[in-house]
Amino acid sequence: MLILMSLLPILSIFFFLVILRWSARKGMFFSFIITVLIAYFGWQMGAVSITAASLKGVMTALEVGVIVFGAVLLLNMLKESGAVDTIRASFTSISPDRRVQAIIVAWLFGTFLEGAAGWGAPATIVGPLLIALGFPALAAVMVALMLQSTPVSYGAVGTPILVGVNTSLENQPVVNNYIDGSGQEMSNFIFEVGGQVSIFHAIVGLFVPLLMSAMLTKFFGRNRSFREGFAIWPFAIFAGLAFVIPFTLVANFLGPEFPSLLGGLIGMAIVIPLAKKGFLMPKTTFDFEPRESWQKSWLSDIAADVKPTKKISMVKAWMPYVLVALLLVITRVEALGLKAIVSSWVISFENILGTDITHNLTPLMIPGVVFIVVAILSGWLHGLDGKGMANAFKVSGRTIVAAMAALIVSVPLVQVFINSGLNDAGFDSMPLVLAQGAASLFGDNWPLVSPAIGAMGAFAAGSNTVSNMMFGLFQFGVADEIGANPLYIVALQAVGGAAGNMICVHNVVAASAAAGLIGKEGTLISRLLIPTIFYLVLAGAVGYVWVNGLGLNIGIFLIIAVLTVLLTMILRSQKRAETN
């Protein structure tokens, strides 16, 4: 009964958003009410604790709001100045093919941003940028959210590993016994976890650019076909390798701070010059139908066309994004010295309403602050007058007001769910009850579902870091019980936590809001279940084989089944291309 009750908040979200296709604002409100009732009556979580958790959620939602506002403001400044037209031309010069553009912008540029900022910020930048390139808003957000997978475990310079996993495991008896028995230091174990995470991610993430292309053509192409997307497989696999190889090498030799950051940079340095020379470019060019043929649900509330007063040079047009990347890096890399300064201002809300719930806010470390600063600087750099800058602020303000209506109930729901362990019934929190139920059900087959637990935590909490904090120790304990190497199981937790970011509600809401797309969150989540399930199934199968070895087992069977489906789709796309 407890397991069923703890599952209801998640089921309600899927029911309202995915099945009924309600907007996040409406669906999350009713899901919040259901969660509060379960917490109060089922877990005997006091009204004060529920209120304190909700207040923490509101404060977190405001932080997300700053990220969304900053991303939208930057886009609107670039629209007003005409820089967006120049950026559009720069990507068109690489290739007019929308599949290629999506892979370069979302996969390569987006993974670099994830390595620098994390916390869902890259999707809020990439979505609007793709819209500026001429993508339908719904397509732009879908592709932008797919990048929130492979690089996420190393987002914000390794936070999910260095903070999430480490915080969960440090000073725990079962962990200390293992560390002492293996004759290594805790820091070495965390380093090894970070390396193993990259190996699992690389095997699965290699196919993400291909899935981006396939999802784009299936839902937004003239023929509504996966095959058109799979037809670009040589370039997509090449782009996947260009990221995951340096990504894995950095994780295993340098540590968890820089795999996504350097992987994205190296990937761009390899792929873009070769793409310009036509390397592995598709023979036919994929483009969307004319804008007048687009479905109304594809369109953004953000004005698509603003007539600029002047032409902006390529260097000036790209300078704001260069500044965003530089500022994010230098304020998050400890060795550069600026991180200590910007992180020194901390606003702490200790023991909210007398509970054990605490919220620490570091205002200058919110990525949105960087976006806002750069947006204002770009207005000055591009010579915008007061009227143009004021209009950018005005349009951005309208967007964030619409977004906050959903965020202000979504994030408090998450906090009540996570903090339900503060109760008078003596029960574990709802996430732990769910995880324990799964462990008792699957036993020795646990590696198959270990990533799904991580994904569930990210879906609920909106963060790979928080998911690792919630379930890292639990996953270690299950590994100890079934006699598996805890290194592999904890790594699978982190991999699943990254994959769950594709469908976590507050990422979907934030990315949608940044693109001016309100009310389509359920549609996005239902479609993004396809790459999410692919990621979790293949990661679980690889993890099972890693733990149990090669042989005729369910892990090998699942790997063969997944790869057979992919190969079949690739061959069918090739056959169709030859026929045409």
Side-chain angles (χ1 to χ4, degrees), residues 122-322:
T124 66
I125 299 175
V126 167
L129 182 54
L130 288 173
I131 293 173
L133 295 176
F135 280 60
L138 195 64
V141 176
M142 181 189 74
V143 172
L145 285 165
M146 287 182 70
L147 85 86
Q148 302 282 169
S149 51
T150 308
V152 169
S153 287
Y154 306 98
V157 288
T159 302
I161 304 294
L162 296 175
V163 176
V165 173
N166 191 53
T167 300
S168 177
L169 301 183
E170 64 182 352
N171 298 321
Q172 297 294 332
V174 65
V175 179
N176 291 341
N177 289 339
Y178 173 82
I179 296 297
D180 293 341
S182 62
Q184 62 180 324
E185 299 290 334
M186 182 66 180
S187 59
N188 292 335
F189 180 74
I190 297 300
F191 186 96
E192 289 182 5
V193 168
Q196 188 62 49
V197 167
S198 73
I199 294 170
F200 289 147
H201 267 315
I203 295 170
V204 186
L206 167 65
F207 302 105
V208 170
L210 185 61
L211 292 178
M212 282 182 173
S213 175
M215 294 285 288
L216 196 65
T217 59
K218 171 62 178 177
F219 294 106
F220 302 96
R222 189 186 304 269
N223 300 316
R224 301 294 195 273
S225 168
F226 280 124
R227 283 183 290 183
E228 282 183 291
F230 278 98
I232 201 177
W233 71 268
F235 177 77
I237 296 297
F238 168 62
L241 288 169
F243 172 75
V244 300
I245 290 176
F247 165 87
T248 306
L249 291 174
V250 171
N252 282 278
F253 290 102
L254 298 182
E257 291 92 344
F258 306 113
S260 297
L261 196 71
L262 293 180
L265 274 178
I266 295 169
M268 283 190 285
I270 294 171
V271 173
I272 292 176
L274 289 174
K276 283 184 175 181
K277 292 180 179 179
F279 181 68
L280 298 179
M281 287 293 99
K283 294 179 181 179
T284 58
T285 300
F286 170 79
D287 199 358
F288 305 110
E289 294 179 274
R291 187 180 177 86
E292 54 268 22
S293 302
W294 292 358
Q295 297 177 19
K296 187 177 179 181
S297 62
W298 295 6
L299 301 176
S300 168
D301 292 334
I302 296 175
D305 298 305
V306 176
K307 292 184 178 180
T309 57
K310 61 178 77 174
K311 185 174 178 62
I312 303 295
S313 70
M314 189 71 72
V315 173
K316 278 191 173 182
W318 272 105
M319 187 56 64
Y321 286 112
V322 173

Side-chain angles (χ1 to χ4, degrees), residues 12-79:
S12 67
I13 294 171
F14 272 98
F15 178 72
F16 293 133
L17 269 64
V18 178
I19 297 176
L20 296 185
R21 298 292 177 89
W22 286 2
S23 68
R25 178 175 58 183
K26 182 179 177 181
M28 294 305 293
F29 172 77
F30 283 99
S31 296
F32 175 66
I33 297 300
I34 289 170
T35 304
V36 168
L37 291 174
I38 292 170
Y40 186 80
F41 291 105
W43 262 250
Q44 297 178 33
M45 187 179 178
V48 173
S49 295
I50 291 173
T51 305
S54 300
L55 287 174
K56 178 179 173 67
V58 169
M59 288 185 278
T60 303
L62 292 173
E63 293 179 48
V64 177
V66 172
I67 295 173
V68 174
F69 177 75
V72 174
L73 179 63
L74 179 57
L75 174 70
N76 286 324
M77 286 288 189
L78 299 184
K79 280 185 176 180

Side-chain angles (χ1 to χ4, degrees), residues 252-549:
N252 282 278
F253 290 102
L254 298 182
E257 291 92 344
F258 306 113
S260 297
L261 196 71
L262 293 180
L265 274 178
I266 295 169
M268 283 190 285
I270 294 171
V271 173
I272 292 176
L274 289 174
K276 283 184 175 181
K277 292 180 179 179
F279 181 68
L280 298 179
M281 287 293 99
K283 294 179 181 179
T284 58
T285 300
F286 170 79
D287 199 358
F288 305 110
E289 294 179 274
R291 187 180 177 86
E292 54 268 22
S293 302
W294 292 358
Q295 297 177 19
K296 187 177 179 181
S297 62
W298 295 6
L299 301 176
S300 168
D301 292 334
I302 296 175
D305 298 305
V306 176
K307 292 184 178 180
T309 57
K310 61 178 77 174
K311 185 174 178 62
I312 303 295
S313 70
M314 189 71 72
V315 173
K316 278 191 173 182
W318 272 105
M319 187 56 64
Y321 286 112
V322 173
L323 288 174
V324 165
L326 285 174
L327 287 174
L328 288 173
V329 171
I330 66 176
T331 55
R332 281 149 177 79
V333 177
E334 199 87 48
L336 298 177
L338 197 57
K339 181 179 179 181
I341 297 173
V342 296
S343 61
S344 61
W345 179 27
V346 180
I347 302 173
S348 295
F349 299 90
E350 302 283 347
N351 305 116
I352 301 172
L353 301 182
T355 67
D356 291 336
I357 299 173
T358 298
H359 184 75
N360 294 316
L361 171 63
T362 311
L364 297 181
M365 287 294 286
I366 300 173
V369 173
V370 170
F371 301 161
I372 293 169
V373 170
V374 172
I376 295 171
L377 285 175
S378 67
W380 169 77
L381 179 68
H382 295 165
L384 265 184
D385 57 18
K387 182 180 178 182
M389 294 183 74
N391 190 55
F393 271 95
K394 181 181 177 182
V395 173
S396 305
R398 286 202 299 264
T399 301
I400 191 58
V401 167
M404 289 309 298
L407 285 170
I408 214 73
V409 289
S410 299
V411 188
L413 179 156
V414 167
Q415 290 301 324
V416 172
F417 184 76
I418 292 172
N419 288 286
S420 54
L422 300 174
N423 61 69
D424 294 329
F427 298 149
D428 287 326
S429 65
M430 295 186 208
L432 275 179
V433 168
L434 276 177
Q436 289 161 0
S440 63
L441 180 64
F442 288 94
D444 290 343
N445 293 320
W446 181 252
L448 290 172
V449 295
S450 177
I453 298 300
M456 181 189 70
F459 174 79
S463 164
N464 189 185
T465 300
V466 176
S467 178
N468 291 344
M469 286 181 180
M470 288 164 53
F471 295 127
L473 179 61
F474 169 77
Q475 298 263 20
F476 192 104
V478 173
D480 188 58
E481 286 181 20
I482 66 174
N485 189 331
L487 171 68
Y488 303 147
I489 304 300
V490 173
L492 288 170
Q493 152 64 37
V495 169
N501 270 254
M502 286 189 276
I503 56 169
C504 82
V505 177
H506 94 45
N507 275 359
V508 174
V509 172
S512 299
L517 193 73
I518 305 298
K520 298 293 180 289
E521 297 88 357
T523 299
L524 284 165
I525 291 175
S526 64
R527 290 178 181 178
L528 288 166
L529 281 172
I530 297 171
T532 303
I533 291 171
F534 166 86
Y535 216 103
L536 297 178
V537 169
L538 187 52
V542 170
Y544 187 92
V545 172
W546 217 274
V547 170
N548 294 287

